Amino acid sequence: MATPLVAVEHRTEPQDERTALTKEAFQRDFFNNLFYILGKFPTLATKNDYYQALAFVVRDRMLQRWISTAAAYTKQGSRTVAYFSAEFLMGPHLGNNLVNLGIHDEVRKAVTELGLDFNELLLEEDEPGLGNGGLGRLAACFIESLATLQIPSLGYGIRYEFGIFHQEIVDGWQTERTDKWLRFGNPWEIPRPEWAVHVKLGGYTEPYRDEFYRHRVRWVPDRLVAAVPYDTPILGYHTNTANTLRLWKAEAPESFDFAVFNRGDYYGAVMQKVSSENLSKVLYPNDEQLQGKELRLSQQYFFVSASLQDMFRILKIQKIPVERFHEKFAAQLNDTHPAIAVAELMRLLIDENVVPWEQAWDITRRTFAYTNHTLLPEALECWPLPLFAKLLPRHLEIIFEINARFLDEVRIRFYGDEERIARMSLIDERGERYVRMAHLACVGSHAINGVAELHSELLKQDVLRDFYELWPTRFGNKTNGVTPRRWMALSNPRLTKLVSSHIGDEWITDLSQLRRLEPLAEDAGFRQQWLDVKRACKCDFAAVALKKTGITIDPDSLFDVQVKRIHEYKRQHLNILHVVALYHRLRSNPNVDITPRTFIFGGKAAPGYHIAKLIIKLITSVGDVVNRDPAVRDRLKVVFLPNFNVKNGQRIYPAADLSEQVSTAGKEASGTGNMKFSMNGALTIGTMDGANIEIREEVGAENFFLFGLTTPEVGALKASGYNPANYLDGELKEVVELIRSGFFSRGDAELFRPLIDGLVHHDPYLVFADFDSYSKAQQQVSAAYQDRDHWARMSILNSARSGKFSSDRTIREYCDDIWKAPAVPIRLLTQEDVKV
Ligand code: NBX
């Protein structure tokens, strides 16, 4: 046997010969896979075939961990975290699995030696974009941290056939194409049809007496859908743990559709099959905006019911009585999307396991905890009662009962306060009746948290104030984090190498160790190396930008980046107004001395969000003019990078000098992009919002460009009757007039009117009120960037002080305070161990 290439001190026992970690074995298996799995030989093989052949090389080397992990948890009946999320924005698996297995560089060498371009193969992976933005990506970071911390856990969600749409820019406008990520197959998942379950929908309920003459309720559905689990292994970094992401695919249950209901009606049966499959067909592309569609509620119930049934199956295998459900499982609700789980667990306990109400309620509350991700009122999920009754008649009854008992408790605590009762009710009865999912989540959970200090405070003072007054001890904060494996080690190998060469590599699992870089900020040689790394990343990104947009950008200009979903509250329009102001300054005084900048934007707008789409059009239109104008002499460039996703993000964060985090104070729950930028050495220009506040606290006010109104100031200004027109003077007025005149729209003065009129007359997110302060902060940025040496110092300190924002820290807090789930180290099994 050839000698192993890899230092594998984290592995407690050797793999077998079949999955050896040698260059020879990698190469041998690569060609075997091409031949035996893909049925190709090199002349006919596509790049995607090569990617898949490599993916299977890696997958084979994960299975020993995966099987050993499952075996250990099953045998020990370990306490398990179940992370319920309608979204998991995983991003490409191959690179991350290579990093976490500790074989990235060795496999790269093996592939390169075969004459193949390793990076090109990695780019072949169609990323699973099963999420909209921050919330879905947070779920992905969390399950990676859970595995790294060796916590038994399952991610439960939906295997959407089409993930978040693919964005193209056509004539400056966003257009959407479906995301066919499964087109060439998915080497990372294993279907488990043997564990499929049935999910009921619709119909009616009826009381009956069982064989012991007990009062029971029967739910007679009018539809059944089969939920088939597809499992993906989630590796911890340099551990033996491989946890599971279990995503449900909807299928038609043969027996039910074909035999019982549609005898003789072949066409009808096929149609029913198609409609069943619709449940996991497509991810709803709206973030922070409720759509109120029946299919969306069906999706939520579908994955929640399947997951809870799966948890009962696991209990049974491990011979744990249902009464101990909450001892086996800690279930986290990622926002209210899975909140129907509260009623579903009650139903499963009461109706299907004959547990008495009080005990079932106790189990349910001890099982669930709820994370809120938004303060925006339009994002709070409320389902019209008739729709709810039609789809989930039994759950509505259960919710009414939960509500009656809950409101009794409120009545006693707050004697005579009928207004409070109406405010807190699970049913909104102010007009048309709605089920309030956030209230259901609160009532059914033993812990409730926000995702940054400010956000958690505002929850208590505002959105969930009544619940806080009733149960203050249930409320807490868990500031978000991101995984340094994907967001540094994988995406920024140059920085990783530089950092590790000075402080070793323990920072990858203990990010607080980055603090040891602080003294190096005073070392001129280190600063130069740091700047060299940043410049190389900028050059890489410039090549990407050129390829994707045709725009040439200068790596020595300041890369000023705003990438995130397009939203009025995130204020991409504040940014572009400032770009126009700079342009105006340059045109008015061609000799003005400005710091050359490249403004980079990226992000998707919800397809029905017209103003957001118009903001994209404004950005691309300003870019068209500015990028072509010789008077600007390449001192300003504006790039809109299409289809911002995890893959593109991995190239953008390392290349950024300046991170734009400019939401109206009090609106962005946390942000997580802000953390990725800071870790990779970008400085932030930002408001006192979300986790920006904590980033500034960590990195130091002197290394952060603060601007804008604070949350209380926003409140006061709005209360006093905000009139944006009052701010329309000086440079801002000239900027607005320039856009209004049609200068950026080939003379079409109507094109941007909805956006501009909206700002002048309403401006709900106080763009005008913050413009002056923003513009001044940007001048400080420009001045600071002139002193490259000082900028390097600030950049190093941003990274060195970003340790708090590792999702490992966040997950530890969830484990300690909410889940009470200890680590379970995994001993690798050999094939001998698993023989029957
Ligand atoms: O969750 C985001 C917040 O806006 C961020 O501030 C925060 O950092 C992040 C993680 O906590 N929320 C978010 O991404 N929401 C959605 O994507 C979303 C998706 C569907 C939906 C509502 C919101 N119906």
Side-chain angles (χ1 to χ4, degrees):
M1 193 173 137
T3 42
L5 282 165
V6 193
V8 282
E9 59 298 335
H10 57 278
R11 200 171 329 97
T12 53
E13 285 171 39
Q15 312 233 172
D16 54 25
E17 163 61 19
R18 201 181 164 289
T19 57
L21 301 178
T22 63
K23 189 177 71 185
E24 293 75 13
F26 295 149
Q27 295 178 339
R28 171 198 71 196
D29 293 352
F30 179 74
F31 287 114
N32 274 341
N33 292 343
L34 192 65
F35 191 94
Y36 288 111
I37 300 181
L38 297 154
K40 285 266 180 92
F41 60 99
T43 322
L44 287 193
T46 63
K47 258 182 221 150
N48 196 270
D49 291 326
Y50 282 131
Y51 151 70
Q52 289 203 48
L54 183 60
F56 283 112
V57 168
V58 176
R59 194 183 92 171
D60 283 347
R61 283 156 179 80
M62 299 163 65
L63 290 176
Q64 191 184 17
R65 284 176 173 69
W66 204 15
I67 290 166
S68 306
T69 303
Y73 296 167
T74 305
K75 188 165 161 207
Q76 298 173 36
S78 317
R79 180 160 171 79
T80 299
V81 175
Y83 199 81
F84 279 45
S85 180
E87 306 190 1
F88 285 91
L89 217 182
M90 298 303 295
H93 288 292
L94 178 54
N96 193 245
N97 287 335
L98 287 169
V99 165
N100 283 15
L101 277 176
I103 59 174
H104 185 273
D105 293 351
E106 293 69 22
V107 167
R108 198 223 333 252
K109 276 180 218 140
V111 168
T112 310
E113 211 179 279
L114 298 175
L116 294 163
D117 183 331
F118 176 73
N119 288 330
E120 232 175 64
L121 293 197
L122 289 201
L123 286 175
E124 271 300 310
E125 182 171 353
D126 262 321
E127 69 172 77
L130 309 186
N132 274 284
L135 171 150
R137 183 54 231 176
L138 187 77
C141 286
F142 278 8
I143 58 175
E144 197 272 350
S145 278
L146 279 161
T148 295
L149 294 170
Q150 304 179 286
I151 311 293
S153 53
L154 272 160
Y156 277 120
I158 302 174
R159 181 179 176 274
Y160 300 105
E161 185 178 338
F162 303 120
I164 188 68
F165 63 84
H166 182 98
Q167 177 194 58
E168 277 172 17
I169 302 297
V170 177
D171 189 27
W173 295 95
Q174 166 176 300
T175 60
E176 300 95 23
R177 277 201 302 116
T178 48
D179 162 49
K180 301 200 186 105
W181 71 289
L182 289 167
R183 194 170 27 172
F184 297 119
N186 174 8
W188 304 108
E189 66 185 9
I190 296 189
R192 307 284 191 195
E194 67 277 23
W195 294 334
V197 297
H198 281 173
V199 174
K200 304 179 205 178
L201 292 163
Y204 59 93
T205 65
E206 60 187 18
Y208 72 103
R209 297 266 186 152
D210 68 11
E211 64 271 36
F212 305 107
Y213 213 62
R214 294 175 300 197
H215 285 285
R216 304 274 295 271
V217 177
R218 179 159 43 221
W219 175 15
V220 185
D222 59 16
R223 277 171 73 200
L224 269 193
V225 177
V228 181
Y230 281 66
D231 286 359
T232 300
I234 304 299
L235 285 177
Y237 177 79
H238 291 196
T239 71
N240 292 331
T241 300
N243 286 331
T244 296
L245 171 61
R246 182 159 290 163
L247 302 180
W248 299 96
K249 174 177 193 277
E251 289 186 3
E254 293 282 327
S255 55
F256 188 84
D257 285 8
F258 285 84
V260 185
F261 275 91
N262 297 295
R263 202 165 290 138
D265 181 9
Y266 177 76
Y267 186 83
V270 174
M271 289 321 277
Q272 196 155 348
K273 177 169 155 61
V274 170
S275 92
S276 297
E277 287 170 356
N278 274 344
L279 278 188
S280 58
K281 189 63 72 182
V282 58
L283 167 76
Y284 275 93
N286 306 296
D287 65 323
E288 318 276 358
Q289 173 75 346
L290 179 68
Q291 260 230 319
K293 289 272 193 292
E294 180 175 339
L295 184 62
R296 166 83 178 167
L297 180 59
S298 309
Q299 285 184 335
Q300 296 181 348
Y301 177 63
F302 163 75
F303 95 89
V304 159
S305 175
S307 307
L308 286 168
Q309 291 184 60
D310 194 55
M311 291 155 75
F312 275 93
R313 179 184 61 79
I314 292 169
L315 280 187
K316 205 166 161 189
I317 294 174
Q318 299 182 7
K319 303 196 170 58
I320 301 171
V322 296
E323 289 75 15
R324 303 181 65 178
F325 191 96
H326 58 287
E327 293 172 27
K328 169 71 189 173
F329 291 112
Q332 192 68 26
L333 304 174
N334 198 22
D335 215 286
T336 55
H337 316 151
I340 188 62
V342 171
E344 174 68 355
L345 180 54
M346 285 299 284
R347 187 189 71 80
L348 290 167
L349 289 168
I350 295 167
D351 293 357
E352 307 210 342
N353 291 278
V354 212
V355 176
W357 180 282
E358 286 74 15
Q359 192 182 4
W361 186 237
D362 186 58
I363 294 169
T364 298
R365 273 201 180 184
R366 287 163 175 246
T367 298
F368 290 113
Y370 158 54
T371 304
N372 172 290
H373 294 265
T374 187
L375 297 161
L376 300 187
E378 64 269 30
L380 294 178
E381 288 194 302
C382 292
W383 295 104
L385 211 76
L387 187 156
F388 204 99
K390 182 172 144 235
L391 199 68
L392 302 169
R394 179 60 182 139
H395 297 79
L396 189 57
E397 290 173 358
I398 291 172
I399 288 171
F400 282 150
E401 182 63 25
I402 294 172
N403 198 34
R405 291 168 184 244
F406 163 61
L407 294 182
D408 280 347
E409 188 182 334
V410 179
R411 249 179 225 110
I412 290 167
R413 248 313 285 287
F414 299 95
Y415 180 74
D417 193 347
E418 282 305 313
E419 268 180 35
R420 185 182 294 262
I421 304 280
R423 287 199 308 269
M424 296 187 78
S425 172
L426 303 191
I427 311 296
D428 177 351
E429 314 206 54
R430 291 169 305 179
E432 306 242 301
R433 297 205 292 168
Y434 292 91
V435 182
R436 293 163 160 163
M437 300 309 273
H439 294 202
L440 179 61
C442 283
V443 172
S445 296
H446 65 277
I448 300 162
N449 73 281
V451 289
E453 291 286 353
L454 174 69
H455 172 234
S456 298
E457 280 310 309
L458 295 175
L459 277 182
K460 294 192 282 187
Q461 288 169 26
D462 193 29
V463 185
L464 300 178
R465 179 185 189 143
D466 291 322
F467 290 89
Y468 175 63
E469 286 172 1
L470 183 61
W471 299 311
T473 58
R474 283 194 204 177
F475 282 74
N477 171 249
K478 297 283 167 282
T479 297
N480 284 167
V482 302
T483 169
R485 272 74 64 184
R486 184 178 291 272
W487 296 111
M488 293 187 74
L490 174 62
S491 59
N492 203 342
R494 294 186 189 90
L495 196 72
T496 298
K497 196 164 158 226
L498 175 62
V499 169
S500 295
S501 71
H502 284 86
I503 64 168
D505 60 9
E506 274 179 34
W507 61 272
I508 298 175
T509 48
D510 174 10
L511 206 64
S512 66
Q513 291 206 26
L514 288 179
R515 286 260 174 194
R516 292 166 54 203
L517 293 173
E518 276 189 34
L520 290 162
E522 294 309 318
D523 174 333
F526 184 78
R527 283 199 301 273
Q528 191 53 51
Q529 290 178 309
W530 188 268
L531 289 176
D532 291 345
V533 165
K534 182 59 83 180
R535 190 166 190 290
C537 294
K538 291 168 77 175
C539 288
D540 282 357
F541 180 75
V544 173
L546 178 62
K547 187 159 164 242
K548 302 215 167 171
T549 67
I551 301 166
T552 302
I553 59 180
D554 173 8
D556 291 315
S557 65
L558 187 165
F559 280 15
D560 176 331
V561 187
Q562 187 171 20
V563 285
K564 49 180 80 249
R565 289 295 290 248
I566 311 292
H567 225 292
E568 288 163 277
Y569 87 79
K570 295 179 188 281
R571 298 200 296 191
Q572 281 91 355
H573 43 354
L574 175 60
N575 186 344
I576 198 70
L577 287 178
H578 168 250
V579 177
V580 173
L582 284 183
Y583 176 72
H584 180 63
R585 258 178 243 166
L586 263 174
R587 288 305 312 256
S588 315
N589 178 6
N591 296 320
V592 73
D593 184 27
I594 77 145
T595 304
R597 281 209 208 201
T598 302
F599 293 91
I600 297 159
F601 291 86
K604 294 173 186 177
Y609 189 173
H610 299 294
I611 289 289
K613 288 183 144 178
L614 196 53
I615 291 175
I616 294 180
K617 177 65 175 167
L618 178 59
I619 294 167
T620 56
S621 302
V622 170
D624 280 346
V625 171
V626 170
N627 297 346
R628 281 188 292 109
D629 189 338
V632 169
R633 281 189 285 111
D634 289 339
R635 286 173 292 176
L636 291 184
K637 280 278 165 76
V638 180
V639 175
F640 189 94
L641 189 85
N643 202 40
F644 175 61
N645 58 7
V646 174
K647 212 191 259 183
N648 294 328
Q650 287 177 200
R651 294 153 164 258
I652 294 174
Y653 297 113
D657 294 307
L658 186 68
S659 156
E660 296 268 355
Q661 306 300 336
V662 303
S663 53
T664 315
K667 298 295 178 190
E668 188 70 271
S670 162
T672 44
N674 46 4
M675 302 168 185
K676 297 167 197 167
F677 278 112
S678 182
M679 263 179 208
N680 283 282
L683 276 71
T684 304
I685 181 164
T687 48
M688 282 293 222
D689 200 16
N692 297 351
I693 298 170
E694 291 159 72
I695 292 176
R696 179 167 173 267
E697 203 169 278
E698 293 293 305
V699 306
E702 67 285 8
N703 302 304
F704 187 107
F705 299 97
L706 180 69
F707 77 94
L709 299 169
T710 61
T711 303
E713 287 166 350
V714 166
L717 180 55
K718 288 208 155 182
S720 73
Y722 171 57
N723 180 5
N726 294 344
Y727 294 80
L728 202 53
D729 55 12
E731 195 172 52
L732 179 59
K733 188 169 182 199
E734 289 166 0
V735 163
V736 166
E737 287 313 321
L738 196 59
I739 297 170
R740 240 202 238 281
S741 73
F743 182 80
F744 297 105
S745 42
R746 298 178 162 171
D748 181 354
E750 291 305 305
L751 183 61
F752 297 117
R753 183 193 284 279
L755 183 56
I756 298 299
D757 281 357
L759 286 175
V760 174
H761 300 301
H762 306 290
D763 191 13
Y765 299 104
L766 309 189
V767 172
F768 284 8
D770 272 346
F771 181 81
D772 192 50
S773 167
Y774 179 59
S775 183
K776 289 197 171 105
Q778 285 288 22
Q779 282 176 24
Q780 291 166 18
V781 170
S782 289
Y785 197 70
Q786 300 289 353
D787 182 351
R788 216 53 70 88
D789 204 42
H790 185 59
W791 187 276
R793 249 187 219 102
M794 295 194 291
S795 168
I796 293 164
L797 291 178
N798 261 268
S799 190
R801 297 171 179 174
S802 66
K804 174 175 176 187
F805 306 104
S806 166
S807 45
D808 298 344
R809 186 269 312 149
T810 315
I811 288 297
R812 263 196 210 96
E813 292 178 6
Y814 276 99
C815 281
D816 293 349
D817 304 343
I818 301 179
W819 301 332
K820 317 280 184 202
V824 175
I826 303 300
R827 184 182 72 82
L828 288 185
L829 300 179
T830 63
Q831 297 208 322
E832 283 308 306
D833 289 314
V834 293
K835 283 211 172 113
V836 277

